Amino acid sequence: MSTVLPMFRLAAPRTVSEAIAACDGHPNSRFVAGGTDLLVNMRRGIHEPDLLIDLSGIDELAAIQVGDDGITIGAGVTIAALAAHDVITARYRALAQAAAAIAAPGHRNMGTVGGNLCLDTRCIYYNQSEWWRSANAYCLKRHGDTCHVAPQGQRCHAAYCGDLAPALLALGAEIDISSVRGKRRIFLSQLYIEDGKAHLALADGELITAVRLPADPPPSAYAKIRTRAAIDFPLAGVAVALATCGDSIASLRLALTGTNSRPFLLAGTEAFSGRPIDDELLREVDRLVQRQVQPMRTTLASANYRRLAAAALAKRLITTLRPASSV
């Protein structure tokens, strides 16, 4: 990996308005907060912005506000602060677990909520040095015309590997987005696209400013597998939010990361409402997960291993969250 960053200019806005104004008219600019993903990719020659807009000095992005209607988390809140927040650890356990599992302490102290949600997709043919990628004729994601993972295909299969997104998806998160054209609010699920080359539904100049979660969420949990117990991105990660009525399921939301080009909510879980959490239901969850995840040869771990691991994690978390009376 090169140790030299490309030349760029740096803007240091103090408000969101100043930040989005700095981006306007500069298509090759990038927002940066902790820089734990972007700066590494810049050193590898993957990204070469001529203007970086530093968000770390914007106080309004770094607040966590708790109200009767839920909690609002600024996009500039650090991963470490998120993992340690009393309300989040008490009410939004999956989110706290996901935050605590990200990389290493140094990364969590620097990385932010917005940055983790907007992580670039990853692939063994993409996250390499410039000379390595050029020797392999680049790839479909950048500078090339072939996806080396699926050479006969027409799209990039690089995998999204952020930890916060599945937890927030399972908890029903919405996000606030700002640009010079105005503000909008969408469900987090609407942010992501199943395309490793263009996986974010953000227009040029748009900035995620906050994440909103409803009050009184159901019990939740997050778990992942990775090559090492620290630092590494998830090979597969699962978040579950499970509400029960007696021994039966009232609602089940299950979200995944690390297997597809986007984090996503498992489809079809509404069919489990009213059913007890028994071995038959867990087998059906296993089949449902295995049908919907799409791991490809984007990591050194096999696609089938990641598929099976995702299904196993889903069953394990549901079992952990089910009421003691149904065991």
Side-chain angles (χ1 to χ4, degrees):
M1 186 197 310
S2 171
T3 59
V4 180
L5 286 169
M7 294 295 294
F8 60 87
R9 294 179 296 116
L10 182 68
R14 306 300 294 182
T15 67
V16 169
S17 297
E18 290 178 3
I20 58 180
C23 183
D24 189 37
H26 294 87
N28 197 33
S29 63
R30 294 291 298 268
F31 295 116
V32 62
T36 56
D37 185 51
L38 176 61
L39 295 181
V40 173
N41 285 343
M42 288 175 61
R43 288 175 62 189
R44 286 177 164 156
I46 292 174
H47 300 307
E48 297 178 303
D50 55 21
L51 172 64
L52 290 185
I53 302 165
D54 180 11
L55 306 176
S56 63
I58 303 178
D59 292 340
E60 62 191 289
L61 294 180
I64 298 178
Q65 300 176 333
V66 180
D68 293 339
D69 58 347
I71 188 168
T72 301
I73 303 166
V77 171
T78 66
I79 305 300
L82 189 70
H85 194 275
D86 290 344
V87 173
I88 291 170
T89 57
R91 298 185 196 171
Y92 307 91
R93 186 169 171 234
L95 182 57
Q97 290 175 327
I102 290 172
H107 300 91
R108 294 192 291 272
N109 286 333
M110 293 295 296
T112 63
V113 171
N116 195 262
L117 292 180
C118 294
L119 278 179
D120 197 4
T121 52
R122 301 182 61 80
C123 178
I124 54 175
Y125 293 97
Y126 174 70
N127 297 100
Q128 302 287 354
S129 65
E130 170 66 21
W131 68 262
W132 192 101
R133 289 180 290 112
S134 64
N136 286 275
Y138 296 100
C139 70
L140 185 60
K141 185 167 169 64
R142 183 166 175 82
H143 293 326
D145 55 12
T146 300
C147 175
H148 298 305
V149 170
Q152 305 305 314
Q154 300 299 312
R155 77 166 180 88
C156 169
H157 291 274
Y160 177 86
C161 298
D163 288 282
L164 299 185
L168 290 167
L169 286 169
L171 292 166
E174 296 178 318
I175 56 172
D176 291 343
I177 300 171
S178 293
S179 72
V180 294
R181 297 173 294 279
K183 299 178 181 180
R184 63 189 179 111
R185 184 176 299 169
I186 61 173
F187 287 108
L188 179 60
S189 58
Q190 296 173 279
L191 176 65
Y192 299 107
I193 301 168
E194 190 63 54
D195 182 351
K197 187 175 182 179
H199 70 294
L200 296 175
L202 289 174
D204 288 344
E206 286 194 316
L207 173 67
I208 297 174
T209 58
V211 176
R212 297 177 182 271
L213 286 168
D216 300 320
S220 63
Y222 173 78
K224 66 178 176 179
I225 57 155
R226 49 185 166 177
T227 303
R228 297 173 293 182
I231 305 291
D232 289 345
F233 288 93
L235 299 171
V238 179
V240 171
L242 176 64
T244 56
C245 182
D247 292 339
S248 300
I249 292 176
S251 68
L252 171 64
R253 290 170 64 92
L254 193 155
L256 299 107
T257 188
T259 60
N260 293 45
S261 292
R262 64 184 175 110
F264 69 98
L265 280 166
L266 190 71
T269 57
E270 64 276 0
F272 299 133
S273 295
R275 292 183 51 182
I277 303 172
D278 54 19
D279 290 344
E280 177 57 31
L281 182 135
L282 294 175
R283 283 192 291 268
E284 291 182 35
V285 169
D286 184 295
R287 290 192 292 268
L288 201 60
V289 170
Q290 291 204 48
R291 282 200 299 267
Q292 294 184 37
V293 295
Q294 299 173 358
M296 299 289 282
R297 194 167 44 92
T298 55
T299 73
L300 296 177
S302 74
N304 190 52
Y305 170 74
R306 291 156 64 201
R307 182 187 307 276
L308 295 174
L313 288 174
K315 293 187 296 181
R316 184 181 304 167
L317 291 176
I318 292 171
T319 301
T320 299
L321 290 171
R322 68 182 174 184
S325 59
S326 65
V327 176

